[in-house]
Amino acid sequence: MNKKFLKFEIDLDFVLIAVTTSLKDYRICYLINKCLNFNFIKTDDLAVDIHAGAPQVYFSLYTYNWEASETDFFFIANKGTDGYLIPEMKKADYFMMIKNYIDDKDLENIISTLNRIPEIVAAVKIDPKKIKSRENLLF
């Protein structure tokens, strides 16, 4: 009997920026809002099933919508109530996820502005396809 296999690939249609800082989430969002003219707002924590059968892990989540281009920004803590959102990137404290369209010039401007904030150690663009636990970023 012939067997057929269905290959399933996750559509990762977002840009991901890893942010390293020692500040609390509300404090770094305040600085980002001030420097980038954003308006990150705290929303309900992101609940993720990291371990099968274990209780959900909650991660701090802030959102902002750029109305001019309908681009959505999410600022997510990497360390949650009981583990990491992206365990292979434990040095990253937060992730900025950008959904919908953003052009390269705007993206470079955002990354360079983040790196100019003295309290941010580093802000680096990450390729989501190279992350093993990328399913945790789908919400």
Side-chain angles (χ1 to χ4, degrees), residues 41-71:
I41 296 172
K42 175 82 169 119
T43 59
D44 292 336
D45 287 350
L46 176 65
V48 180
D49 292 318
I50 295 201
H51 309 290
Q56 290 183 317
V57 181
Y58 294 92
F59 300 91
S60 179
L61 177 66
Y62 291 77
T63 60
Y64 170 63
N65 180 273
W66 223 355
E67 291 181 17
S69 63
E70 296 186 9
T71 304

Side-chain angles (χ1 to χ4, degrees), residues 5-6 8 32 39 49 51 63 66-68 76-77 80-81 94 96 98 103 106 120 123 130-131:
F5 293 95
L6 178 65
F8 176 73
I32 292 171
N39 188 21
D49 292 318
H51 309 290
T63 60
W66 223 355
E67 291 181 17
I76 313 159
T81 54
Y94 302 97
M96 183 184 288
I98 306 169
D103 67 15
D106 286 338
I120 291 180
K130 294 182 179 175
I131 298 174

Side-chain angles (χ1 to χ4, degrees), residues 17-32:
I17 301 171
V19 178
T20 305
T21 181
S22 60
L23 294 180
K24 297 280 187 190
D25 55 357
Y26 61 89
R27 187 76 181 121
I28 194 63
C29 281
Y30 168 77
L31 293 173
I32 292 171

Side-chain angles (χ1 to χ4, degrees), residues 57-118:
V57 181
Y58 294 92
F59 300 91
S60 179
L61 177 66
Y62 291 77
T63 60
Y64 170 63
N65 180 273
W66 223 355
E67 291 181 17
S69 63
E70 296 186 9
T71 304
D72 294 317
F73 294 85
F74 300 92
F75 196 75
I76 313 159
N78 190 27
K79 182 138 175 67
T81 54
D82 190 31
Y84 288 91
L85 182 66
I86 308 296
E88 60 267 25
M89 297 189 70
K90 291 182 179 178
K91 295 208 186 260
D93 297 302
Y94 302 97
F95 294 102
M96 183 184 288
M97 180 188 296
I98 306 169
K99 288 187 177 182
N100 298 335
Y101 177 76
I102 186 166
D103 67 15
D104 291 336
K105 185 178 176 185
D106 286 338
L107 180 61
E108 289 304 317
N109 182 41
I110 288 170
I111 292 172
S112 65
T113 303
L114 288 173
N115 281 313
R116 280 196 300 268
I117 297 173

